[in-house]
Amino acid sequence: MRPSPLDDSRLPEALSDVTEQWSEIAGVDAVVVTVGDRQPLRPEVEVTLLRVAQEALANVEKHAQASRVGVTLSFMDDSVTLDVRDNGVGFDRSAQTRSESYGLSAMGQRIEHLQGELHIESAPGDGTAISASVPADLIGVPHA
Amino acid sequence: MPEDAGKSARPIRVLIVDDHPMVRDGIRSLLTSDPRFEVVGEASDGREAIERTEVAHPDVVLMDLRMPVLDGVSATREIVDRGLGTHVLILTTYDTESDVLPAIKAGATGYLLKDATRDELVRAVQAAASGESVLSPPVARRLLGQVRQPSNDTLSDREFEVLVLVARGNSNKDVAADLFISEATVKTHLLHLYAKLEVNDRAAAVAEAYERGLLTPGSEG
């Protein structure tokens, strides 16, 4: 069931559920943190950020050899941002084949569709952090 | 009148703290000519003010702010922390936010400017003796201005966390590692807090946060 549009975002709960399940299966400690004042989000924003989180977690399991993952949802005045950071092996951002294998382009397209931005930060031995940000004028429910 | 009789029964005991002897003399002659007050001592810096307060147990300390050895805010904090029942009334020429807010936060009961009239000073000392706040109008305006700042200027908890880490000298990379988020998101938080503090860089943000009293010495440590 979709949350009714005027409810507060249920994305934090959805992220917790997804991350908790993933953590058990992958055997990696994971923490979900929500900061800022919750705002109602459009269903497509919630779905997109949840898919990005799932994709990022799948990448961590496949590639990162991490022992810890942090999923952070930040409600800000003009945007909502999802961060997924791990403490794994990281990768060289200049090695294109590897970064493509991360399924990053698919994530990027989803976020671009919402006029948002996707950042990927990584360095060998330094873990990986992805940040998906969607601007406020597209996150909220349009007023009827 | 009964009111006056009650007051004259026990004069308000005042300690005068100012590094300028002329200022102390002026205040002393003003107060000693009034039977409602008793000047129990003088001090020329904050350290002396604490020592004299411990010995003389004044009802009210008239405290200058900028003094050698130990400033008025630090002395106020110590005097208030010692819980001797002494009220501190700041008497200074300075009415900027960076002077007023730390003094109030340190526990000063009132804040009076030196251009106050004799009557204003008398009333302020009486009010301070009974623990009532007295603020010179320009000082009250400063404080109200602080409170009235629109809520979208208030830092979020996360922005404040970022600010504290930055004030400790951390790079964006360090802050990101500490909060276990991306540097991109750290930068976004920084841009938001710059806008709220009306500054353009991290050094100015930290300075402005101190100016506004968001950060105090020790809070970044």
Side-chain angles (χ1 to χ4, degrees):
Chain A
M1 258 181 67
R2 286 248 52 85
S4 88
L6 291 177
D7 278 350
D8 277 348
S9 172
R10 291 180 191 173
L11 185 57
E13 287 71 31
L15 283 172
S16 290
D17 291 347
V18 161
T19 306
E20 203 173 299
Q21 284 171 20
W22 175 87
S23 174
E24 268 180 35
I25 293 164
V28 177
D29 284 343
V31 177
V32 179
V33 177
T34 301
V35 301
D37 296 328
R38 286 187 183 201
Q39 309 158 33
L41 299 174
R42 286 188 185 188
E44 61 263 41
V45 173
E46 297 204 318
V47 169
T48 300
L49 290 180
L50 193 60
R51 292 283 172 270
V52 169
Q54 288 173 318
E55 185 83 47
L57 290 171
N59 284 336
V60 172
E61 189 180 4
K62 269 188 261 175
H63 306 287
Q65 301 165 45
S67 62
R68 181 182 168 217
V69 171
V71 176
T72 304
L73 184 67
S74 307
F75 287 96
M76 305 188 202
D77 294 336
D78 60 357
S79 59
V80 62
T81 299
L82 171 78
D83 283 68
V84 179
R85 179 167 177 151
D86 68 64
N87 66 348
V89 295
F91 64 95
D92 184 350
R93 291 273 292 127
S94 62
Q96 272 304 308
T97 50
R98 181 69 190 277
S99 76
E100 273 164 15
S101 80
Y102 258 64
L104 300 180
S105 57
M107 277 197 267
Q109 279 166 13
R110 288 199 182 103
I111 292 297
E112 261 174 45
H113 186 66
L114 295 170
Q115 293 178 27
E117 283 180 45
L118 181 73
H119 294 273
I120 296 117
E121 298 163 11
S122 192
D126 220 13
T128 301
I130 71 109
S131 154
S133 186
V134 179
D137 51 353
L138 275 167
I139 60 180
V141 177
H143 293 286
Chain B
M1 288 186 293
E3 255 186 51
D4 280 350
K7 275 169 191 164
S8 64
R10 185 185 171 285
I12 295 168
R13 297 157 49 77
V14 181
L15 178 74
I16 301 167
V17 185
D18 200 296
D19 56 336
H20 294 104
M22 294 277 285
V23 175
R24 295 200 301 271
D25 287 349
I27 298 169
R28 173 184 276 275
S29 64
L30 198 153
L31 291 177
T32 47
S33 66
D34 190 324
R36 291 172 291 184
F37 304 104
E38 178 191 350
V39 176
V40 297
E42 294 180 14
S44 59
D45 62 60
R47 179 56 53 205
E48 256 184 54
I50 295 166
E51 289 163 8
R52 297 282 153 81
T53 299
E54 292 213 306
V55 174
H57 292 276
D59 300 308
V60 176
V61 176
L62 276 176
M63 181 79 79
D64 189 17
L65 281 186
R66 302 190 190 174
M67 293 180 291
V69 186
L70 188 70
D71 65 276
V73 169
S74 305
T76 298
R77 191 177 298 118
E78 285 221 23
I79 288 170
V80 171
D81 282 354
R82 287 178 194 200
L84 303 169
T86 297
H87 295 288
V88 178
L89 176 59
I90 305 294
L91 184 59
T92 179
T93 39
Y94 306 101
D95 67 348
T96 66
E97 236 170 61
S98 58
D99 290 302
V100 174
L101 291 176
I104 300 294
K105 285 195 173 178
T109 301
Y111 198 113
L112 205 61
L113 297 178
K114 280 180 180 167
D115 60 7
T117 64
R118 175 204 169 95
D119 282 352
E120 284 168 345
L121 177 66
V122 164
R123 280 200 301 273
V125 173
Q126 287 177 321
S130 50
E132 290 168 25
S133 288
V134 183
L135 301 170
S136 286
V139 174
R141 274 198 295 279
R142 296 249 175 233
L143 284 176
L144 287 176
Q146 277 285 310
V147 176
R148 282 183 188 147
Q149 274 180 6
S151 60
N152 61 5
D153 278 2
T154 308
L155 298 190
S156 71
D157 290 349
R158 182 42 66 100
E159 284 159 3
F160 186 70
E161 277 182 280
V162 170
L163 179 65
V164 168
L165 289 168
V166 165
R168 285 182 201 162
N170 288 294
S171 66
N172 289 356
K173 190 180 163 81
D174 298 333
V175 175
D178 201 281
L179 299 176
F180 213 46
I181 57 178
S182 65
E183 279 184 66
T185 298
V186 170
K187 283 177 199 162
T188 305
H189 286 307
L190 277 174
L191 289 177
H192 287 151
L193 73 89
Y194 290 172
K196 289 177 179 180
L197 297 174
E198 298 175 278
V199 297
N200 294 313
D201 62 55
R202 59 211 294 126
V206 172
E208 179 65 19
Y210 275 103
E211 176 82 7
R212 294 193 187 183
L214 299 171
L215 291 174
T216 51
S219 71
E220 85 284 8

